[in-house]
Amino acid sequence: MRAFVFPGQGAQAIGMGKALADAYPAAKAVFDEVDEALGEDLSGLIWGGELDALTLTANAQPALMATSMAVMRALEAEGVTVDAASYVAGHSLGEYSALAAAGAFTVADAARLLRARGIAMQEAVPVGIGAMAAILGLDFAAVKDVAEEAAQGEVCQAANDNDPAQVVVSGHKAAVERAVEIAKAKGAKRALLLPVSAPFHCSLMQPAADAMALALDAVEIAQPKVPVVSNVLAEAVSDPAMIRRLLVEQVTGSVRWRESVMYMGAQGVTEVYEIGAGKALSGMVKRIDRGINAVAVSTPEDVVAAVAAIKA
C-alpha cells in the first residue's frame, strides 16, 4: 500500500515547480488557475521573486499547494492518478493540497482558502507577540510537560508532533523562550526559535479558526476519492462535513504528523511519495517508521522515476 503526502510551510523555494510547468502543460495550467483564482501573478513570485515575499504566510500557503498540485498533474499526465494511493495526508496547509489532490476541493477553491488562511493566521496575533520553537531530542510527552511548565499564565503549547525527536512549541514569545531554556535543561539536543511570522497551531490562533469557519462554509467540499488522514485526528476521514469541521479545528490544534504516519503504517502502508516542494516529510517518515520507504517527488525526473516505481 502507498500514501501520497503533501508538504507544509517551510518547504517553499524560489523556482519551485518551474521545471514541471515547462515540461508538462497540465502542471503549467495549475499555476495559471491559481493566478486567476487569486487575481495576481503568484507564479511570477514563485519563479522569479524574492524569497522573503514568497515566505509571507499569505503567499507561501497557496504557492506550496500550487506546486504540489503541479506535481500531481504531471503524475496524472504519465498515467498515475490519486487512487494509486490508499491514503493522502498533508502537514498543516498540506492537508488542503491533499484534499485538492483527492478531488475534495477544486484547485481554485484551495488557493482562495489558503490565501484566506494565510492572512487570517498572520492577522490573528500582532507581529512580535507570538513565537514558535523546535525542540529536538525530546519526545512529544516530554515537550508537552515543558510547554505546560513554561506557560506561567501565558499560552505555550506543543503544536507540531513531527517525528520521534522533533516537536514544535507555539505561543506567547516569552513563554516559548522559557520553553527553549527548560527543554535544554531537561536534555534536549537542540532548542531554537523558528523564523516564523506568527504562533501557528495554538489557542492564540482562535481568530483565524473563526475566519476559516466562515471561509469554509462558502466552499463546496466533495467526498475525496481517497481517504484523507486528518492532522487533528491522526486517522482517515472521508465525510465532507467532518473534513470541514476538522479544517477549522486544525488552525488551533496540534499537527499530529508522527501519529498520522504511524496510523498509515499500521494500515499497511509501505511506500510514501512526498508530492511537492522539498524533502522534509520524507525525512520525518523515515524517522517515524523505518518500514516505510519514503520518496520526494518535485522535478520532472522525480515524476518519471515515481511513475516507473508505481507501475512496476
Side-chain angles (χ1 to χ4, degrees):
M1 284 171 73
R2 69 181 66 87
F4 291 162
V5 302
F6 298 82
Q9 223 157 312
Q12 65 273 5
I14 295 296
M16 62 183 183
K18 180 72 169 78
L20 278 169
D22 290 343
Y24 293 94
K28 170 74 166 62
V30 170
F31 289 101
D32 292 343
E33 191 175 346
V34 169
D35 287 351
E36 189 177 334
L38 298 179
E40 66 185 64
D41 183 19
L42 185 66
S43 56
L45 171 61
I46 298 169
W47 296 334
E50 295 295 324
L51 185 58
D52 285 355
L54 180 60
T55 299
L56 291 172
T57 303
N59 292 329
Q61 296 202 25
L64 285 161
M65 182 278 302
T67 304
S68 286
M69 287 306 299
V71 175
M72 205 64 230
R73 296 290 182 256
L75 287 167
E76 289 165 6
E78 297 285 0
V80 170
T81 56
V82 71
D83 44 24
S86 299
Y87 298 97
V88 293
H91 191 282
S92 189
L93 83 91
E95 194 163 327
Y96 286 76
S97 307
L99 286 160
F105 290 141
T106 65
V107 168
D109 279 343
R112 287 187 287 262
L113 285 167
L114 286 171
R115 168 56 58 82
R117 185 177 183 268
I119 291 170
M121 289 171 90
Q122 189 61 68
E123 290 180 346
V125 180
V127 173
I129 300 293
M132 298 180 79
I135 313 292
L136 307 182
L138 296 179
D139 67 16
F140 186 70
V143 174
K144 221 173 159 186
D145 290 343
V146 166
E148 284 171 13
E149 188 181 328
Q152 297 178 20
E154 293 185 307
V155 171
C156 188
Q157 290 167 265
N160 294 9
D161 183 9
N162 284 335
D163 67 36
Q166 187 195 102
V167 181
V168 174
V169 295
S170 182
H172 284 110
K173 191 165 189 280
V176 170
E177 287 169 346
R178 286 193 292 271
V180 165
E181 296 312 313
I182 293 166
K184 286 176 181 170
K186 292 197 172 185
K189 286 181 187 164
R190 288 181 75 197
L192 62 161
L193 290 172
L194 295 174
V196 295
S197 53
F200 306 131
H201 297 293
C202 74
S203 59
L204 293 176
M205 285 285 119
Q206 189 57 48
D210 295 342
M212 286 316 294
L214 290 172
L216 283 155
D217 273 347
V219 170
E220 187 178 337
I221 301 178
Q223 183 157 340
K225 294 171 190 159
V226 175
V228 179
V229 180
S230 153
N231 283 191
V232 171
L233 297 179
E235 59 186 53
V237 293
S238 292
D239 174 59
M242 184 174 246
I243 288 167
R244 196 185 304 273
R245 179 172 63 76
L246 291 170
L247 287 175
V248 175
E249 289 181 23
Q250 190 223 52
V251 179
T252 55
S254 296
V255 176
R256 296 170 65 183
W257 186 253
R258 177 182 59 87
E259 293 173 276
S260 295
V261 173
M262 288 170 63
Y263 169 84
M264 290 187 281
Q267 308 308 307
V269 169
T270 55
E271 295 171 36
V272 163
Y273 291 86
E274 180 175 5
I275 309 292
K279 298 179 177 178
L281 296 187
S282 312
M284 289 177 199
V285 168
K286 290 170 184 172
R287 290 189 289 275
I288 295 164
D289 187 339
R290 289 184 183 164
I292 298 177
N293 182 43
V295 178
V297 187
S298 64
T299 66
E301 296 76 17
D302 294 341
V303 167
V304 170
V307 169
I310 289 168
K311 288 185 170 178

